[in-house]
Amino acid sequence: MNPEPDYSAAYVIVRTGGGQEGHGLAFTVGRGNEIAVAAVESLAPLVTGRPVAEVLGDLGGVSRRLTGDSQLRWLGPEKGVIHMAAGAVLNALWDLRARRAGKPLWQLLSELPPEEIVDVVDFRYLEDALTREEALAILRGAEPGRAERRARLLAEGYPAYTTTPGWLGYTDDKLVRLAEEAVADGFRQIKLKVGADLAEDVRRVRLARAAVGPDVRIAVDANQAWNVGQAIEWLAPLAEFDLYWIEEPTSPDDVLGHAAIRKQVAPIKVATGEHTHNRVMFKQFLQAGALDILQLDAARVAGVNENIAILLLAAKFGVPVCPHAGGVGLCEMVQHLSMFDYVAVSGTAEDRVIEYIDHLHEHFTDPVVIRDGRYVAPARPGGGAEMRPASRAEYAYPHGPQWAADAVADVAGAV
């Protein structure tokens, strides 16, 4: 479904009069990135020029302003490019707030009083599944163990899994080598892409299972390739390899389709969420029993605020959160959400892993650190989205040197 991604981002910097900055982004895969930039620019007047303390002291109100503007909301509502743009702005504001506090975002969030956490959540449309009072009870129930879990997180890190061995198009030798290296590096779960050719999928998963042994989990990801019945049929011959989950088996909007697949392919778990566009859709997936693994994304919904709502929903329904990452800065950003969840919301890392993909981290000022198959908790203030100035300059579209070089190469190729 995504055969030729050109990893891109609409990059947001919010600046104060005193020279402080916050960074956020909306991840895209190339064409259309300019639309995301235009959406961010359309939201800018709702934030710029306002007192810093007022904005950062009421990020719940700012979130509702960005997602609730009566004219811009028409373009969603609360979905699509305009919603992703709101998320980029909100993530930049949270990054600024964490920097001003001198703390990594996960720590800032996990130290907030429960009352302040729920104040940033928009409970509109959620209260048939999660009320403010229920959310407060979840957060207060996690308070007694916060300090102990924070210490354990700092000492041990947070579990990760890797998609590095699993891309379509790899030779058999490369798949096997990368799978074996992943296990040697401490990963206890790998993921393979599937859905292009059933015979090839069976062969590749067989190779991966032989490479990692019986005790390492193998998940597979179809990236929305199948119809409902097709997903059920396709997974049947793969079941012998003890798959842990099937990710995005069908349309990301098809709640009942996911529920039907889940019923038919168990004990293979159904995982989805990286393209689920808001908290209301997540609510329906949970209410319908349509997923086993919830895969939120740092840059798909309306930023930290809405992801807090999604984490609280998952905690209410007892469903583990295993975020989508990779892309441009998604590993750097989403680790903060999982670590906050562990310390202050669900209180557990059992059956929870963050995706890890080993590319593009060199462009960020605080790149992720993986040790023994686990994310090391970030110590640097902020939310992780800041790209190095040199990378921003080199790859800025359309006038950055990298784009100019590509244009020259294209002309030479045409000649």
Side-chain angles (χ1 to χ4, degrees), residues 15-54:
R15 296 186 176 92
T16 72
Q20 294 175 310
E21 294 182 350
H23 298 249
L25 57 84
F27 167 56
T28 72
V29 290
R31 288 185 298 276
N33 195 60
E34 71 281 4
I35 301 171
V37 172
V40 169
E41 291 171 343
S42 75
L43 294 169
L46 300 176
V47 175
T48 54
R50 297 178 179 271
V52 177
E54 174 188 299

Side-chain angles (χ1 to χ4, degrees), residues 165-166 171-173 175-177 179-180 190-194 197-214 216 218-220 235-243:
T171 64
D172 292 352
D173 288 345
L175 185 159
V176 170
R177 174 175 59 81
E180 291 175 343
I190 65 169
K191 188 170 76 181
L192 275 62
K193 301 291 184 175
V194 296
D197 181 280
L198 178 56
E200 278 292 292
D201 286 348
V202 171
R203 192 179 60 79
R204 290 170 61 251
V205 176
R206 179 178 287 113
L207 286 171
R209 176 55 72 199
V212 302
V216 172
I218 296 178
V220 294
L235 289 165
L238 294 173
E240 68 172 285
F241 304 111
D242 189 26
L243 300 182

Side-chain angles (χ1 to χ4, degrees), residues 82-276:
I82 194 69
H83 205 52
M84 293 170 67
V89 175
L90 284 162
N91 283 341
L93 291 170
W94 278 104
D95 181 66
L96 175 62
R97 180 171 172 180
R99 290 167 183 265
R100 285 165 64 91
K103 299 175 182 179
L105 180 61
W106 69 265
Q107 182 181 343
L108 171 74
L109 292 173
S110 64
E111 292 177 354
L112 292 178
E115 293 77 13
E116 190 169 352
I117 295 173
V118 297
D119 281 345
V120 307
V121 173
D122 187 351
F123 286 94
R124 181 178 45 178
Y125 311 136
L126 294 186
E127 292 186 338
D128 57 320
L130 178 72
T131 65
R132 177 188 171 90
E133 292 70 27
E134 288 174 319
L136 274 172
I138 290 168
L139 294 165
R140 287 171 178 160
E143 275 190 300
R146 278 188 184 186
E148 179 185 350
R149 288 190 295 274
R150 176 187 169 186
R152 187 179 301 121
L153 175 65
L154 291 170
E156 301 175 0
Y158 195 97
Y161 77 91
T162 181
T163 307
T164 298
W167 301 104
L168 293 172
Y170 281 179
T171 64
D172 292 352
D173 288 345
K174 187 172 184 179
L175 185 159
V176 170
R177 174 175 59 81
L178 292 176
E180 291 175 343
E181 289 176 0
V183 176
D185 289 340
F187 291 100
R188 307 306 300 164
Q189 179 175 324
I190 65 169
K191 188 170 76 181
L192 275 62
K193 301 291 184 175
V194 296
D197 181 280
L198 178 56
E200 278 292 292
D201 286 348
V202 171
R203 192 179 60 79
R204 290 170 61 251
V205 176
R206 179 178 287 113
L207 286 171
R209 176 55 72 199
V212 302
D215 299 326
V216 172
R217 289 173 172 173
I218 296 178
V220 294
D221 182 359
N223 286 111
Q224 313 164 30
W226 302 319
N227 292 315
V228 173
Q230 186 182 15
I232 295 166
E233 293 173 5
W234 200 293
L235 289 165
L238 294 173
E240 68 172 285
F241 304 111
D242 189 26
L243 300 182
Y244 186 56
W245 77 52
I246 171 60
E247 182 171 333
E248 284 200 314
T250 191
S251 164
D253 298 338
D254 191 350
V255 176
L256 298 183
H258 277 81
I261 293 168
R262 180 177 180 242
K263 181 178 179 180
Q264 292 297 317
V265 305
I268 301 172
K269 299 179 185 298
V270 169
T272 195
E274 70 182 81
H275 286 89
T276 302

Side-chain angles (χ1 to χ4, degrees), residues 77 145 220 285 355:
V220 294
F285 272 96
E355 183 173 21

